[in-house]
Amino acid sequence: MTVKALSVASEVFPLVKTGGLADVAGALPAALKPHGVETVTLIPGYPAVMRELSRGEVVRTYTDVIGAPMRAIRGNARGIDVIALDAPALYARDGGPYADPAGRDWPDNWRRYAALGIAAADLARTQGFDIVHAHDWQGAMAPVYLRFSDGAKPKALVTIHNMAFPGRFEASIFPALKLPPAAYAIDGVEFYGGVGFLKGGLWAADAVTTVSPTYAEEILKPEFGMGFEGLIAARRKSVFGIVNGIDTAIWNPAADPALASIFDVETLELRAENRSAVETAFGLTGDGPIFCVVSRLTLQKGMDVLADVADALVETGGRLALLGSGDPALEAAFRTAALRHPGRIGVKIGYDEKLSHRMQGGADAILIPSRFEPCGLTQLCGLRYGCVPIAARTGGLADTIIDANAAALSAGVATGILFDGVATESLARAIRRAVEIFADAPAWRALQVQGMTADVSWSASAKAYAGLYARLIKG
Ligand code: ADP
């Protein structure tokens, strides 16, 4: 039997991407196919989506979805089966999916993503879907609208990619949501005196997943739960951790067109050419291990701690190539660090997909000192590309990296370096450990090979999602 799934996502690679959510929404449909799941992705009709849409067929027309006319157009966009929501008043704007070109959140984001939820609930019902799989706060109103309206109720699953984004708005928007008054309650969308989109979804969904088993445990604690810990505890039996994979066709060092030289475990020496390309791109000179960073520059990612450790990194003989953007103060801190250490620290502020592949294919290690990390994808790319991850022991990082302690090294299973507690001393120590192992070429090579042969694909996790869909549908 084929299961028909409607994936409700605010970004999907390669159409629109601001982070890992897009990668997951982009890769999961293909990974689910062998398990008998046919996925259609419901996505707002941003310009980048509407431009790519081909063979479009209007499947629903709405005259008024909380104030905006909207058409649901089913078609294909860059290989993805989509239903795009053509609603120019809501989505036809320059800038990012959530913010204007100056980086300010759109003031009507609540309307834009409530509309996504309303359309999702209607389309799930009218287009014969068996299950709605909603992602993060932007998709989370789908199960709420299913719950509070009449008609068939396909099962609904919400996946939390990052608990730090609750989609919380002033209570004054509630009447415009066109939900019954009863929905403004603990059993509904009320969240600390306002309207919580993620809250509503976590309450209304038949099941909740998050993107790693460790994060699923962590969010039961106040320091990770961001105010949701009580609700997560109440729903504990329906909360599952399923670790993300990466698209191993896109992230394939043996066939990656972004690389100066392709390579695999048998031809690891060919990586040297990519390493030179990283040196050139970041103006690095001399020698010593190249640590790289591909990240949003935020406190979540521990980038303030890394900025504090930059001098120590150089003192150990290491070099740093950093690609990222985010907090202006952190951007400035890294720019200054690069000025202090010409040839040893190179910094590119921005977003560059191609360069991120080159860095994974040429740097020796990738630093991920996140304070919390629901799953994290860059460590998975690093593993696959022989770029050894050095990461905080939290969330998905703890689940996907095997620390190079003495036992793991001698057993030949270590794939990276994990450290506890995101602070300057612990990160500096982890970097020193990496420099020591790097000096022992066979030991470092073993780390790389063990990482490259670890399974970072979607296969096991897609099976887990398909199994969960089946259980929910069966009831
Ligand atoms: P998050 O979603 O919290 O930002 P993840 O590690 O889950 O973190 O996913 C981040 C994704 O975005 C990865 O695919 C990573 O390679 C990519 N990425 C992050 N910053 C940049 C950047 N500056 N340039 C290119 N790719 C980036």
Side-chain angles (χ1 to χ4, degrees):
M1 187 195 92
T2 305
V3 167
K4 289 183 72 185
L6 184 66
S7 169
V8 185
S10 56
E11 48 184 278
V12 58
F13 184 83
L15 296 171
V16 198
K17 169 169 167 175
T18 72
L21 162 60
D23 291 315
V24 174
L28 195 49
L32 283 168
K33 222 172 200 161
H35 301 284
V37 179
E38 294 285 341
T39 307
V40 178
T41 303
L42 179 66
I43 178 106
Y46 313 115
V49 172
M50 299 312 292
R51 264 198 309 273
E52 298 289 343
L53 196 61
S54 62
R55 302 198 304 275
E57 179 204 349
V58 177
V59 291
R60 293 288 270 180
T61 302
Y62 310 96
T63 48
D64 177 5
V65 180
I66 45 177
M70 179 186 277
R71 297 184 310 159
I73 306 177
R74 172 128 190 210
N76 189 285
R78 297 189 67 179
I80 308 170
D81 239 334
V82 296
I83 298 178
L85 295 179
D86 181 27
L90 299 176
Y91 307 126
R93 304 175 185 183
D94 294 334
Y98 320 123
D100 68 16
R104 286 173 304 238
D105 279 355
W106 298 112
D108 58 348
N109 272 345
W110 63 271
R111 189 185 295 278
R112 300 170 74 231
Y113 295 106
L116 178 65
I118 291 171
D122 174 72
L123 291 161
R125 278 205 180 99
T126 57
Q127 309 298 308
F129 288 98
D130 304 303
I131 185 144
V132 176
H133 185 168
H135 298 275
D136 271 353
W137 74 264
Q138 296 94 335
M141 288 299 275
V144 174
Y145 283 104
L146 276 175
R147 221 10 139 83
F148 286 108
S149 51
D150 301 327
K153 298 228 190 299
K155 296 296 180 190
L157 172 68
V158 168
T159 294
I160 307 162
H161 296 264
N162 194 339
M163 207 68 157
F165 302 110
R168 183 185 174 280
F169 303 97
E170 295 304 315
S172 56
I173 69 156
F174 180 76
L177 295 176
K178 295 189 179 165
L179 286 165
Y184 189 77
I186 288 203
D187 289 332
V189 298
E190 192 277 332
F191 187 54
Y192 295 98
V195 173
F197 279 28
L198 183 59
K199 150 72 205 297
L202 297 182
W203 168 80
D206 297 289
V208 172
T209 63
T210 188
V211 287
S212 69
T214 294
Y215 192 61
E217 289 296 319
E218 286 172 341
I219 56 179
L220 287 161
K221 302 179 206 151
E223 60 270 38
F224 293 97
M226 310 275 169
F228 291 98
E229 56 277 8
L231 177 57
I232 295 293
R235 299 227 50 196
R236 198 168 180 173
K237 287 207 176 84
S238 307
V239 177
F240 307 95
I242 301 178
V243 76
N244 286 337
I246 52 174
D247 187 328
T248 48
I250 292 171
W251 290 97
N252 179 7
D256 188 334
L259 297 182
S261 170
I262 56 172
F263 63 96
D264 59 21
V265 267
E266 306 296 334
T267 57
L268 205 47
E269 65 285 354
L270 297 177
R271 241 182 145 265
E273 206 176 317
N274 298 319
R275 197 166 183 268
S276 305
V278 171
E279 289 174 328
T280 307
F282 286 88
L284 300 179
T285 54
D287 49 23
I290 301 175
F291 296 90
C292 78
V293 171
V294 179
S295 183
R296 293 186 285 120
L297 302 182
T298 64
L299 296 187
Q300 179 204 328
K301 300 289 183 183
M303 288 295 128
D304 52 325
V305 177
L306 179 62
D308 288 343
V309 169
D311 295 345
L313 183 152
V314 172
E315 267 164 38
T316 62
R319 296 178 288 170
L320 177 66
L322 178 140
L323 168 66
S325 63
D327 183 335
L330 291 172
E331 292 181 355
F334 285 111
R335 281 204 179 98
T336 324
L339 291 175
R340 276 202 310 279
H341 299 286
R344 307 301 298 180
I345 296 183
V347 168
K348 285 189 192 289
I349 301 299
Y351 191 95
D352 189 335
E353 194 76 32
K354 226 173 168 182
L355 181 59
S356 74
H357 283 240
R358 293 200 192 115
M359 293 167 76
Q360 297 277 17
D364 299 300
I366 181 160
L367 293 169
I368 315 166
S370 304
R371 287 191 167 84
F372 67 93
E373 193 58 82
C375 180
L377 296 175
T378 56
Q379 83 279 15
L380 302 180
C381 305
L383 289 170
R384 185 141 164 90
Y385 278 57
C387 185
V388 176
I390 298 170
R393 195 191 309 272
T394 186
L397 299 169
D399 290 336
T400 56
I401 298 167
I402 301 174
D403 177 55
N405 57 42
L409 278 175
S410 69
V413 295
T415 59
I417 290 176
L418 290 171
F419 62 93
D420 291 291
V422 178
T424 48
E425 191 36 49
S426 52
L427 176 57
R429 209 178 312 124
I431 289 170
R432 284 198 298 274
R433 271 174 74 201
V435 172
E436 275 164 26
I437 302 174
F438 184 79
D440 178 351
W444 190 262
R445 193 187 163 92
L447 271 188
Q448 290 179 295
V449 169
Q450 281 145 211
M452 289 175 76
T453 46
D455 183 11
V456 294
S457 79
W458 269 106
S459 61
S461 297
K463 195 171 167 209
Y465 275 112
L468 180 57
Y469 289 0
R471 288 203 302 281
L472 291 175
I473 291 165
K474 250 208 214 138

